Amino acid sequence: MSDYRPPLRDIRFVLENIVDLEELSSLPGFEHVEAEDVYEALGEAGRFLAEVVAPTNRIGDTEGLTLDDHGSVTVPEEMISAYRQLVEAGWPAVKGDPEYGGHGFPGVMATAFQEMMTAANMAFSLAPMLTTSAVEAFQYHGSDELKSVYLEKLITGEWTGTMALTEPQAGSDVGALRAKAWPADDGTWRVRGTKTFITWGEHEMADNIIHFVLARAPEAPPGTKGISLFLVPKYLVNSDGSLGDRNDVKCIGLEHKLGIHASPTCVMAYGEDEGAVAYLVGEVNAGMHCMFTMMNDARLHVGLEGLGLAVRSYQQALDYARERRQGRALGAPKDVSSPIIEHPDVRRMLMTMKANIEAMRALIFDTSAAGDRSESSETDEARAAAAHRAALLTPVAKAWCTDLGVELTSIGVQIHGGMGYIEEAGSAQHWRDSRIAPIYEGTNGIQALDLVMRKLPLEDGAVVNGYLAEMEATAAGVVDGGALASLGVALSTAIEELRSTTEWLLDAAPADALSGATPYLRQFGTVAGAYYLIRSARAAEAALLSGADPWLEAKIDTARFYIDQILPQAAGAAPAVSAGASQLFAIAEAHLD
Ligand SMILES: Cc1cc2nc3c(=O)[nH]c(=O)nc-3n(C[C@H](O)[C@H](O)[C@H](O)COP(=O)(O)OP(=O)(O)OC[C@H]3O[C@@H](n4cnc5c(N)ncnc54)[C@H](O)[C@@H]3O)c2cc1C
C-alpha cells in the first residue's frame, strides 16, 4: 500500500488562481497573514499528516474500537499519539479567534489542511472537524462567561466537541427530537435524552468532550421552533479551570459500520440519573439557528471528505497502474507485458479521477473563501454578496463532492482489478469510508432540497443568476480565438442549459421542484466543475507564457478532458430536472413490488 503524498502544488495552484489568497489575506483581520507563510505552513502540515497521521489509517480500520462495561471507548494507541502531536503542533487552531488561542488565519487555509487530514485518515479527522464546527456555533452564540471557560480548549483541540442532534425518530427531521431540558435552581440547566450516531461521542483521546446537544425546554413549541442548544461537558469544569466531577453523560452503545471504523459512532445517554448539567447556548428555542452556523461549516468539510478520499484513492490507483503489468499495450514491444497505465481504458479511469478531483477542490476552496469574505470584506455589500455565494454553493459542495467521492473511490477499486476487492490492498477502505459522506450532515437528498427550495430563491433568484453570469463571463472570455475557444463554447452551451433548468425550477410547483432537485444539483455541480477548470486552464496558459513550470500544461489537458468527457453529463441530467413529480409517482405505490 502506498503512502499519502500531500498534493501541495495543486492546493497552492487553487489558492493562488481560484481563491486569490493574496487578495483575501489583505482583508481586515488577516493583516498578519502572508500568502507565502500560508504555503510554507501547509507544506509543514502536509509532511506531518503524511508521516504521522496517514500511517494510522489502516491501523484504525483493522483494529477499530471497543466499548467496555463502564462506557469507555478504546481508540488505537497510534491515533491517540497522533492526536496529541496534532494539538501540540497547533494545527487545530489555524483559523480560531486569536483572543482564544487561535492563529486567526483564513478559513480556506483550514480547509486546505482539512483536505489533507481527511486524506490521511478520515475517521481520525472527524474529531477535529466536528470540534472546529462546534467552535463556529459557539463563538457566535455562546455567552462571554461560557466562552471564557470552554472556547480556548476547543479551539486548540485540547478538548474535542460533538454535535448531538440525531435521535432514533429524528434524523433528517430534526424537529421531531424529544430530548428534554429544564432549568436548575443555580442558573444552569439539566438535559435528559438519548442521542444516536454521535461521532466521537466518547473516547480518551482528549481530556474532556464538550457535547453540543439539541433539546426542548419546557413549553417549547413543536418542531424546529422549539429546539434549544446546550453545552454539555463530559467532565464538569471547576472555577479554577481544572476538571471536576464526571457529568451524567454516558456512551451506551457503539455502532458497527461499513467504514470509518476508527471513528466512534456512539449511542449517548444524557442525564439518565439526575439530568446532565447543561449550559444554554444562545436563546431558548433558537437552537436551530445556532446549529445552522455549525452545520454549514460542517457541510463544507463533509464535502471535503469526498475530495480527500478521492485523492488518496487516486494516488494509490496511480501507483498500482504503474506497477501492475497485464497484456500488451498497442505499440509495446513483443513478449513484454505492459504496465496497465498504458491501456486506454485505465488512462480514462485515472483521468476521470484526476479531472473531477481538481474540479471538486476548486469548488470547495471557492466556497470556503466566500465564507471568509462574508466575514472580512470591507463593505456590508461585499460581505452580504459573499455570504450569499457561500450559501448557494455549500449544498453543491457537500452533495456533488460526496457523491463523486463514492464514484471516484469506486473507480480507484476498479483500477486495482481483483486486488481492489481485497482488503489488504487498501483501496476498498477508501470506498467504504466514503459511503457515509452522502448520508450524514444532511443527506444529499436534503442538500438538493436546500439548493432548490432555499438557495435558488435567495434575493429573488439574483444570487444564482449572478453566479451563472460569472460563469458566462469566463466562457465568453475564452470563446474568441485562442487554444481554449472550443472549451468556452461547450461551457457556454452548458450554462445556457443550466439557466433554463434554473428558471424552470424557480417557477415550478413545489412537487415538481422537489422531484427535480437531485438531478439539478448534479447538473449544477458538473457545470461549475467545468467553469473552475477553464479558469484553471486560463491561469496555467498565462503562467506558461511567462515561463512557468511545464507541469502546468496538465491543467489545460485536464480541463479539455473534463469538458469533452464529463461536462456532457450535465445535459444528460437536465431532462430529469424538469420531468416533474407525475413521472415519479406514475406507478401506484402498491405496484412498486
Ligand atoms: C456514521 C454516522 C455518523 C453520524 N454522526 C452524527 C453526529 O455526529 N451527530 C448527529 O447528530 N448525527 C449523526 N449522524 C446521523 C446522520 O446525520 C443521519 O443519519 C442523517 O441525517 C440521516 O438521518 P436518518 O439516518 O434518520 O435517515 P432518514 O431521515 O430516515 O432518511 C432516509 C432517507 O429518506 C430521505 N429523506 C428523509 N426525509 C426526506 C425529505 N423530507 N425529502 C426527501 N427525502 C427525505 C433521506 O434523504 C434518506 O435517503 C451520523 C450517522 C452516521 C451513520
Side-chain angles (χ1 to χ4, degrees):
M1 202 191 327
S2 56
D3 288 328
Y4 171 58
R5 303 182 291 276
L8 294 164
R9 267 196 315 196
D10 289 293
I11 287 176
R12 179 175 179 145
F13 181 84
V14 173
L15 290 173
E16 280 179 348
N17 296 295
I18 302 293
V19 164
D20 195 355
L21 185 62
E22 199 77 48
E23 183 273 336
L24 182 64
S25 48
S26 70
L27 296 178
F30 300 136
E31 291 84 0
H32 63 299
V33 178
E34 293 289 337
E36 279 306 324
D37 294 343
V38 170
Y39 302 132
E40 199 177 312
L42 286 174
E44 269 174 50
R47 269 188 297 281
F48 169 80
L49 292 166
E51 285 166 19
V52 178
V53 179
T56 66
N57 194 40
R58 188 90 183 114
I59 297 167
D61 187 54
T62 48
E63 274 186 34
L65 309 153
T66 47
L67 172 68
D68 69 18
D69 295 342
H70 308 289
S72 285
V73 173
T74 308
V75 175
E77 271 303 321
E78 292 83 350
M79 280 176 56
I80 297 176
S81 159
Y83 187 76
R84 302 244 151 100
Q85 292 178 64
L86 180 88
V87 172
E88 258 167 47
W91 296 117
V94 164
K95 77 162 180 180
D97 183 346
E99 210 186 309
Y100 293 95
H103 306 317
F105 279 88
V108 72
M109 180 179 173
T111 298
F113 177 77
Q114 185 76 26
E115 177 201 319
M116 295 190 283
M117 181 159 58
T118 304
N121 183 340
M122 171 167 157
F124 172 89
S125 78
L126 293 174
M129 187 274 266
L130 280 165
T131 308
T132 311
S133 299
V135 163
E136 283 286 306
F138 185 44
Q139 67 190 4
Y140 282 109
H141 307 289
S143 66
D144 287 345
E145 198 187 343
L146 273 184
K147 286 202 275 193
S148 70
V149 180
Y150 294 95
L151 190 51
E152 182 160 345
K153 301 277 191 193
L154 285 167
I155 284 181
T156 56
E158 222 173 305
W159 297 347
T160 62
T162 74
M163 194 158 148
L165 293 76
T166 305
E167 297 177 13
Q169 78 296 342
S172 300
D173 183 8
V174 181
L177 68 83
R178 294 185 194 135
K180 284 190 169 27
W182 64 96
D185 297 337
D186 59 359
T188 64
W189 288 71
R190 298 292 176 270
V191 161
R192 177 169 296 140
T194 302
K195 297 281 177 181
T196 51
F197 296 148
I198 305 309
T199 299
W200 285 98
E202 173 57 32
H203 60 90
E204 302 286 333
M205 208 158 69
D207 295 338
N208 204 359
I209 303 173
I210 311 304
H211 301 271
F212 287 86
V213 181
L214 288 183
R216 293 187 177 285
E219 292 163 35
T224 50
K225 291 202 169 90
I227 291 174
S228 308
L229 178 63
F230 295 91
L231 181 158
V232 182
K234 170 179 169 184
Y235 290 104
L236 300 173
V237 182
N238 298 320
S239 52
D240 63 356
S242 60
L243 294 184
D245 293 339
R246 177 89 195 231
N247 201 356
D248 186 1
V249 174
K250 254 198 307 248
C251 172
I252 55 172
L254 205 54
E255 305 294 351
H256 298 278
K257 310 188 292 292
L258 176 67
I260 52 167
H261 291 160
S263 164
T265 305
C266 304
V267 183
M268 298 298 302
Y270 296 98
E272 272 189 334
D273 299 327
E274 305 294 314
V277 175
Y279 305 90
L280 181 67
V281 177
E283 302 287 319
V284 172
N285 296 335
M288 276 316 285
H289 172 62
C290 304
M291 216 59 175
F292 267 118
T293 321
M294 178 166 172
M295 282 194 289
N296 282 336
D297 186 75
R299 282 176 178 176
L300 190 60
H301 284 115
V302 172
L304 267 180
E305 292 169 7
L307 169 63
L309 289 175
V311 171
R312 187 100 192 244
S313 174
Y314 172 68
Q315 293 184 349
Q316 201 168 330
L318 181 61
D319 291 349
Y320 189 80
R322 285 178 170 140
E323 286 160 18
R324 172 74 174 160
R325 289 176 173 271
Q326 281 295 283
R328 198 161 65 85
L330 289 176
K334 275 201 174 128
D335 306 326
V336 184
S337 55
S338 308
I340 58 170
I341 197 167
E342 290 179 12
H343 296 305
D345 193 56
V346 173
R347 249 339 148 88
R348 185 186 51 73
M349 290 192 275
L350 287 167
M351 282 303 294
T352 302
M353 294 182 86
K354 180 175 172 54
N356 276 305
I357 282 169
E358 296 194 5
M360 287 152 82
R361 182 179 291 115
L363 169 66
I364 294 174
F365 283 31
D366 186 34
T367 310
S368 177
D372 285 324
R373 292 191 169 96
S374 73
E375 286 168 16
S376 301
S377 290
E378 312 227 17
T379 64
D380 287 348
E381 205 184 358
R383 282 195 296 275
H388 280 138
R389 183 186 187 83
L392 174 73
L393 296 182
T394 295
V396 184
K398 194 276 178 179
W400 185 62
C401 295
T402 55
D403 279 345
L404 276 176
V406 177
E407 290 166 33
L408 300 182
T409 52
S410 175
I411 294 176
V413 169
Q414 191 70 16
I415 291 171
H416 284 74
M419 280 312 288
Y421 204 68
I422 307 301
E423 286 291 352
E424 200 189 320
S427 189
Q429 185 194 343
H430 309 314
W431 183 44
R432 286 188 286 101
D433 286 353
S434 76
R435 192 59 192 85
I436 183 58
I439 296 172
Y440 60 15
E441 249 354 288
T443 63
N444 284 0
I446 298 294
Q447 302 303 318
L449 302 193
D450 180 43
L451 174 65
V452 167
M453 306 307 279
R454 292 193 205 99
K455 304 304 169 58
L456 295 190
L458 277 175
E459 305 285 297
D460 278 336
V463 176
V464 66
N465 281 319
Y467 188 71
L468 292 172
E470 175 187 319
M471 293 199 287
E472 264 161 8
T474 292
V478 292
V479 161
D480 294 332
L484 303 175
S486 64
L487 306 191
V489 172
L491 177 60
S492 236
T493 308
I495 296 166
E496 218 165 284
E497 287 159 357
L498 183 62
R499 188 180 286 287
S500 151
T501 49
T502 303
E503 280 165 8
W504 188 89
L505 285 168
L506 280 166
D507 288 340
D512 291 331
L514 293 173
S515 303
T518 288
Y520 176 75
L521 189 146
R522 183 73 183 206
Q523 184 190 11
F524 193 118
T526 309
V527 176
Y531 158 63
Y532 289 113
L533 290 193
I534 289 195
R535 281 180 58 187
S536 302
R538 283 191 88 179
E541 201 181 38
L544 284 164
L545 283 175
S546 14
D549 188 336
W551 164 79
L552 284 170
E553 282 162 15
K555 298 286 171 205
I556 299 169
D557 294 324
T558 303
R560 274 191 205 295
F561 174 85
Y562 186 100
I563 304 249
D564 288 347
Q565 303 211 20
I566 297 174
L567 182 60
Q569 294 167 12
V577 177
S578 47
S582 57
Q583 191 163 67
L584 296 180
F585 288 87
I587 303 176
E589 195 198 310
H591 293 172
L592 283 172
D593 292 304

